[in-house]
């Protein structure tokens, strides 16, 4: 958000993530986005949390690996909704920051974005690589400065399941939703919210 603002790009945040489970995780992530958007005066569109549609499309892919067909379906679904909203509301460009994560496949994300945008005349998918030029490091710096909630898995219930299995196989604790924040621990975060 900060990089776009500094560049003078007028944009809107479109939050459509029916893949994020459980609902507590979804709300934590959404509220962090709203808080930062409001802090910078960026319009925020809160789209439907249609989990039934997401689970219907994920049927049969429950055991696909990360970066597999289930992730492609998930990106497709979310980009399709983004492109439709952009078309209906007069936006000419869509993009995503999904690729800032080193755990994501940029080609997979960009392919999904391009497929969604091509459906509508005059709509373009901007495939900017947010990792380049220190983007990933800048994201961590901002996250620490803002004490953002630290996401410990991609978002879906299957990613949570697989992340917990991996952690436990390494002798680590399961993920505790709502407890890890950049730069602070959960107790300090809760105290900070009350003051």
């Amino acid at each position: 958000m900060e990089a776009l603002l500094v560049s003078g790009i007028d944009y809107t945040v479109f939050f459509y993530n029916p893949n994020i489970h459980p609902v507590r995780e979804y709300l934590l992530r959404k509220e962090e986005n709203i808080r930062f958007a409001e802090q910078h005066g960026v319009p925020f569109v809160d789209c439907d949390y249609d989990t039934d549609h997401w689970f219907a499309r994920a049927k049969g892919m429950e055991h696909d690996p990360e970066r597999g067909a289930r992730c492609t379906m998930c990106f497709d679904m979310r980009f399709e909704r983004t492109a439709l909203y952009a078309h209906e509301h007069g936006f000419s460009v869509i993009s995503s920051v999904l690729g800032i994560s080193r755990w994501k496949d940029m080609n997979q994300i960009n392919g999904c974005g391009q497929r969604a945008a091509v459906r509508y005349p005059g709509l373009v998918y901007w495939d900017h690589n947010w990792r380049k030029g220190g983007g990933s490091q800048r994201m961590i710096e901002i996250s620490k400065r803002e004490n953002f909630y630290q996401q410990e898995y991609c978002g879906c219930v299957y990613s949570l399941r697989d992340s917990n299995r991996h952690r436990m196989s390494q002798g680590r604790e399961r993920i505790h939703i709502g407890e890890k924040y950049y730069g602070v621990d959960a107790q300090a975060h809760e105290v900070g919210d009350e003051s």
Side-chain angles (χ1 to χ4, degrees), residues 8-146:
I9 297 172
D10 184 24
Y11 68 98
T12 297
V13 173
F14 184 75
F15 193 85
Y16 177 60
N17 293 286
N19 57 305
I20 301 174
H21 295 96
V23 70
R24 181 170 181 224
E25 180 79 10
Y26 170 81
L27 292 172
L28 282 164
R29 294 183 187 196
K30 182 173 81 168
E31 291 305 317
E32 293 286 63
N33 276 271
I34 291 171
R35 175 172 64 92
F36 201 62
E38 287 177 349
Q39 180 179 323
H40 292 286
V42 175
F44 186 92
V45 175
D46 185 2
C47 196
D48 187 21
Y49 185 50
D50 58 346
T51 57
D52 290 344
H53 184 201
W54 188 87
F55 277 111
R57 285 183 70 165
K59 189 168 179 62
M61 295 182 263
E62 296 89 344
H63 298 285
D64 283 8
E66 198 77 20
R67 296 183 179 190
R70 184 183 66 239
C71 293
T72 299
M73 173 284 299
C74 184
F75 298 149
D76 278 339
M77 178 181 172
R78 292 154 62 201
F79 274 122
E80 289 163 9
R81 186 65 187 94
T82 304
L84 175 62
Y85 183 90
H87 172 72
E88 291 175 340
H89 292 86
F91 290 88
S92 59
V93 178
I94 62 171
S95 190
S96 176
V97 295
L98 283 168
I100 200 163
S101 169
R102 63 189 169 105
W103 303 108
K104 298 288 182 244
D105 178 344
M106 291 290 295
N107 292 326
Q108 183 181 36
I109 293 165
N110 290 336
C112 295
Q114 290 160 356
R115 275 194 300 280
V118 76
R119 295 175 175 203
Y120 302 100
L123 185 62
V124 174
Y125 172 72
W126 182 33
D127 63 353
H128 183 74
N129 185 342
W130 295 100
R131 291 180 204 167
K132 287 193 172 186
S136 293
Q137 182 57 38
R138 181 72 181 132
M139 184 257 323
I140 292 170
E141 291 168 7
I142 292 169
S143 296
K144 287 179 179 177
R145 181 190 77 208
E146 298 294 325

Side-chain angles (χ1 to χ4, degrees), residues 152 163-173 175:
E152 295 190 80
S163 295
N164 277 330
R165 282 182 182 161
H166 175 74
R167 289 168 71 116
M168 292 174 69
S169 76
Q170 302 295 308
R172 297 172 56 204
E173 284 189 37
I175 292 169

